[in-house]
Amino acid sequence: MKLATLRNGSRDGELVVVSRDARMYMSASAIAPNLLDAIERWQAVAQPLQALSDELNASRVAAARHFVPADCGAPLPRCYQWCDASAFLNHGRLMERAFNTPPIPDFDSTPVMYQGASDDFLGPYDDVALPCEADGIDFEGEFGVVLAETPMGVDADSALGYVRLVVQINDWSLRSYGPREMKSGFGFLQAKPSTSFAPIAVTPDDLGAAWNNGRVSMNLHVSWNGQWFGHPHGSEMNFSFGQLIAHAARTRRLSAGTIIGSGTVSNAARANGSACIAERRVIEMIDEGSARTPFMRFGDRVRMQARLADEHSGPFGVIDQRVVKAETDRRAS
C-alpha cells in the first residue's frame, strides 16, 4: 500500500492512497483525515485503507484522480519525533576523518543517533531556503521508517513489527556548523535544517524482496545539477532498522508517528559514488590530497530516487529540489 499527503491548506494535509504504478490516487479522508491520525489509529484504519488501495489498483474507483507528486507535502508534514542514525559505518568512518574527530567508542557495535527537528518537514519539490552559501550546504540521501507506538525496551527482532511505513529522505546538512556541534557533546542543531521526504510512504510488504532483514535493498540514485553523483545500495546498512528502533527505545517508549532514519546511504565501493557531498570531499582528500568538490550554491538542484537495479522508477517517487536564499525576518509577530 502506498500513501501520500496532498497539501490542502491545513498543517497536516490530506491523506490519499496512491496506486501501485503511482499514476492515480484516491482521497482517504473519510477513513483518516491525515497520515499522523492514521498511524495513531492504525489497527482501526489499516484494513479500510488496504481495501481502498485494492480497489484503486483494480481500477474500480470511479472518483480516482491523476497523482501529481508536486502537489504533495512530506508524507508526514510533522510528527512528534525524528531520530536519525548513522547506520552505514563506511560513511561514519569517513565523516570522522572529514571532521577530524576522535573515533566514537563502540561505533561498530552501538548505533549513534541524534534527535532532529520534526516540526517542519519539506515536501519533495519544495525549494530549500537557507541563509548562507558559506554554511556548507549539503544533501544526504537516506531511508527511514515510520513507527506505531513502540514500547520501551523492545528488542531488535520484535522492533520490526512496529514499522508501519518506509520512506525516502533527504536530510539536509550545513557542514560548517557540524564540527563545533559534534565536539560540544550536545548534538546537531544549526547544522540540521528542515528534512525533506519523497512523496510516497510505502508499507513494508509493498516493497517485496526489497525490504530485507530490516533494510531497504535498493539503489539510491542521486544527481546534482543533472550530473550523476552516486547510486549507493541500502543493503550495506550495518545496523538494521530493528537495531536502530531498539536503540532509540532502550529507555523510553516511542510515540506513534516517530520516524527513524538510516543516515546517509554509503557503500565501500567507490564506483557506487556517494549520497552526500561531504563524503565525496573526504574521499578526494584521501585519494588526491585535497577536496575539490564544492558544497551547494543557491540555484543548485539535487534529485534522488530509490530504484531496483532493473527499474527506471521507484516506489517512493522522486525528491527534486532547488536551494534558494532564505528571506529572513527577525521581527517578532
Side-chain angles (χ1 to χ4, degrees):
M1 179 167 55
K2 294 183 174 182
L3 303 174
T5 294
L6 294 186
R7 289 195 168 97
N8 65 355
S10 72
R11 186 64 180 84
D12 297 299
E14 177 187 3
L15 177 63
V16 301
V17 174
V18 181
S19 63
R20 188 173 294 112
D21 62 6
R23 293 179 180 273
M24 307 297 291
Y25 80 91
M26 181 67 187
S27 174
S29 60
I31 301 170
N34 54 66
L35 184 54
L36 183 57
D37 177 81
I39 292 294
E40 291 181 319
R41 300 188 298 113
W42 193 257
Q43 294 300 323
V45 304
Q47 186 172 349
L49 287 173
Q50 185 62 61
L52 182 57
S53 176
D54 293 342
E55 291 290 302
L56 183 62
N57 286 317
S59 300
R60 292 196 294 263
V61 180
R65 299 179 180 180
H66 288 284
F67 181 61
V68 181
D71 292 340
C72 293
L76 279 171
R78 58 178 175 172
C79 69
Y80 298 115
Q81 185 164 220
W82 152 235
C83 297
D84 198 19
S86 183
F88 292 83
L89 296 186
N90 181 68
H91 175 76
R93 292 302 186 201
L94 289 170
M95 289 303 97
E96 286 178 351
R97 299 184 69 164
F99 291 138
N100 194 29
T101 54
I104 299 172
D106 303 321
F107 188 66
D108 294 344
S109 57
T110 303
V112 295
M113 186 177 289
Y114 75 92
Q115 191 170 34
S118 60
D119 60 322
D120 185 34
F121 292 139
L122 300 178
Y125 291 88
D126 290 345
D127 282 347
V128 180
L130 296 169
C132 181
E133 289 180 343
D135 290 341
I137 302 168
D138 199 356
F139 49 80
E140 289 193 62
E142 54 184 271
F143 298 109
V145 293
V146 181
L147 305 180
E149 184 170 316
T150 304
M152 179 173 64
V154 68
D155 64 77
D157 290 334
S158 301
L160 290 176
Y162 295 94
V163 173
R164 294 293 176 259
L165 298 166
V166 185
V167 291
Q168 179 191 311
I169 297 168
N170 182 2
D171 184 40
W172 291 93
S173 290
L174 300 177
R175 297 299 186 185
S176 65
Y177 295 107
R180 180 194 175 278
E181 292 189 335
M182 291 181 70
K183 291 174 183 176
S184 74
F186 276 80
F188 293 125
L189 181 67
Q190 294 176 339
K192 290 294 183 179
S194 296
T195 302
S196 304
F197 289 77
I200 300 171
V202 183
T203 52
D205 62 287
D206 208 62
L207 292 177
W211 178 248
N212 181 27
N213 196 26
R215 296 165 172 84
V216 181
S217 294
M218 304 180 72
N219 290 102
L220 183 57
H221 292 258
V222 181
S223 63
W224 177 14
N225 291 333
Q227 300 298 311
W228 175 87
F229 198 85
H231 59 259
H233 200 271
S235 63
E236 288 192 25
M237 190 172 164
N238 297 85
F239 297 104
S240 71
F241 276 111
Q243 290 171 295
L244 298 183
I245 297 164
H247 178 76
R250 177 67 180 85
T251 58
R252 57 181 172 178
R253 67 182 177 89
L254 306 177
S255 298
T258 293
I259 302 175
I260 304 291
S262 67
T264 306
V265 180
S266 179
N267 292 171
R270 301 283 176 84
N272 289 352
S274 298
C276 75
I277 299 170
E279 184 173 298
R280 175 182 280 189
R281 284 170 59 87
V282 74
I283 289 172
E284 290 170 345
M285 292 165 59
I286 294 168
D287 292 351
E288 305 171 33
S290 62
R292 296 182 294 102
T293 302
F295 289 112
M296 298 185 80
R297 304 192 66 176
F298 297 141
D300 283 3
R301 301 194 73 94
V302 62
R303 187 182 193 276
M304 299 181 181
Q305 185 180 41
R307 304 199 300 259
L308 295 171
D310 58 347
E311 292 185 349
H312 296 290
S313 61
F316 307 104
V318 173
I319 299 174
D320 189 350
Q321 295 183 291
R322 180 181 60 145
V323 176
V324 299
K325 183 172 177 56
E327 295 182 5
T328 58
D329 187 346
R330 297 178 177 86
R331 297 172 297 175
S333 59

